[in-house]
Amino acid sequence: MAQVKILEGAEEFALGSGPVGALLVHGFTGSPQGMRGLGEFLAGKGIAVLAPRLPGHGTTWEDLNSRTAHEWIAEVENAFHRMAAERDEVFIVALSFGATLALDFAARYPDEVAGLVTLAGMVMTKDPRRHLAPVIKRLTRSVPGVGNDIADPTGKEIAYDRLPTGAAYYMLRFLKSARLGLPAVRCPVLVMHGRQDHTVHPSNAQLILDSVGSQDKELVWLDRSYHVVTLDYDRDEVFERTYEFIKGHSSHAL
């Protein structure tokens, strides 16, 4: 496959050091840029962070359209195990479809994840087009994008302005298998979601909370934010609550 240029600011990043790690997973059509502010905050609190770039993201929508869920699943696995090889414990903090991938990983490796934070997490969609996804991908290669669902006008996400229909088909198909695996998630879970999210319906938050097998779980509603909560009005609360969750569930002093 030909090398595709990565958009400036959309690169994978690693920050901080120490025995506690946080794997930051971005959403569909987004990039690690959407997680950078959170990553810098956590690194400043003594937590090592790694934000991988999912295959096909941070480049072009055409590149993403050539990818499948297997590649995104593998990237999360590889990134987690890279962190786990150097840290005593690893938490996952994931946005949107990144949370789908994180929940799937936590279900398959229930004893390896120290804790999981889902931000605008997605395990189902109410978009009526989901039923037509196999047909739509044959009719057109892309439709208008869903990025930058942000209430704060100063928030800007590096995301595609087109939604690639082939990749979207694989993403939607993966939702079902991830949702079925939720009872196998046993690690502590913090769910945060914007009440005004226009991209991932807020009902996903309660579904995640009710479905995971974790005994230690909490739901926090964000009243002022839309979808990209790491870049929106409630970002400071998101950062602080994420840190407090990791601190409260870590075996190390932070």
Side-chain angles (χ1 to χ4, degrees):
M1 183 178 292
Q3 190 71 25
V4 182
K5 183 179 179 181
I6 300 171
L7 298 171
E8 184 177 355
E11 306 89 353
E12 173 180 308
F13 66 84
L15 301 167
S17 61
V20 181
L23 180 67
L24 311 182
V25 188
H26 67 80
F28 190 68
T29 76
S31 77
Q33 173 264 344
M35 307 296 280
R36 180 169 283 276
L38 174 59
E40 292 173 348
F41 180 86
L42 294 177
K45 296 287 191 178
I47 298 166
V49 301
L50 172 63
R53 182 179 61 85
L54 299 175
H57 292 76
T59 52
T60 66
W61 69 260
E62 292 91 346
D63 178 27
L64 179 54
N65 216 23
S66 68
R67 309 294 184 152
T68 69
H70 297 292
E71 294 176 81
W72 309 322
I73 294 166
E75 182 61 35
V76 170
E77 288 199 8
N78 292 338
F80 185 93
H81 290 129
R82 277 160 55 199
M83 283 212 90
E86 300 179 349
R87 313 293 167 203
D88 291 347
E89 54 192 14
V90 179
F91 293 79
I92 308 180
V93 185
L95 175 68
S96 191
F97 180 66
T100 320
L101 295 165
L103 288 161
D104 169 74
F105 180 87
R108 291 183 293 108
Y109 297 92
D111 300 321
E112 296 191 28
V113 182
L116 172 59
V117 180
T118 70
L119 306 172
M122 181 181 188
V123 290
M124 65 89 178
T125 178
K126 294 190 174 185
D127 190 327
R129 293 177 297 177
R130 68 190 185 279
H131 302 298
L132 299 174
V135 176
I136 293 174
K137 75 183 182 74
R138 292 186 175 91
L139 296 177
T140 181
R141 297 184 64 215
S142 71
V143 295
V146 296
N148 279 289
D149 182 18
I150 303 170
D152 185 350
T154 67
K156 178 64 177 175
E157 179 188 28
I158 296 178
Y160 300 144
D161 59 2
R162 303 294 297 178
L163 181 72
T165 56
Y169 166 74
Y170 288 113
M171 181 268 289
L172 291 170
R173 196 169 67 171
F174 178 64
L175 286 181
K176 182 177 180 180
S177 63
R179 188 166 63 248
L180 292 174
L182 291 177
V185 176
R186 297 203 298 264
C187 67
V189 174
L190 172 61
V191 177
M192 288 191 270
H193 211 113
R195 289 191 187 275
Q196 303 179 72
D197 192 327
H198 304 106
T199 303
V200 173
H201 196 278
S203 59
N204 275 267
Q206 193 66 52
L207 179 58
I208 292 170
L209 192 80
D210 292 343
S211 301
V212 293
S214 311
Q215 296 299 308
D216 182 343
K217 51 189 177 180
E218 180 184 4
L219 170 58
V220 173
W221 289 109
L222 305 168
D223 293 323
R224 300 182 299 155
S225 297
Y226 293 169
H227 180 59
V228 191
V229 297
T230 54
L231 300 175
D232 217 329
Y233 286 126
D234 294 303
R235 58 186 175 272
D236 289 343
E237 180 179 357
V238 168
F239 295 0
E240 191 63 41
R241 284 185 180 271
T242 298
Y243 166 67
E244 290 296 335
F245 174 83
I246 294 174
K247 179 182 177 181
H249 292 88
S250 173
S251 59
H252 294 269
L254 292 172

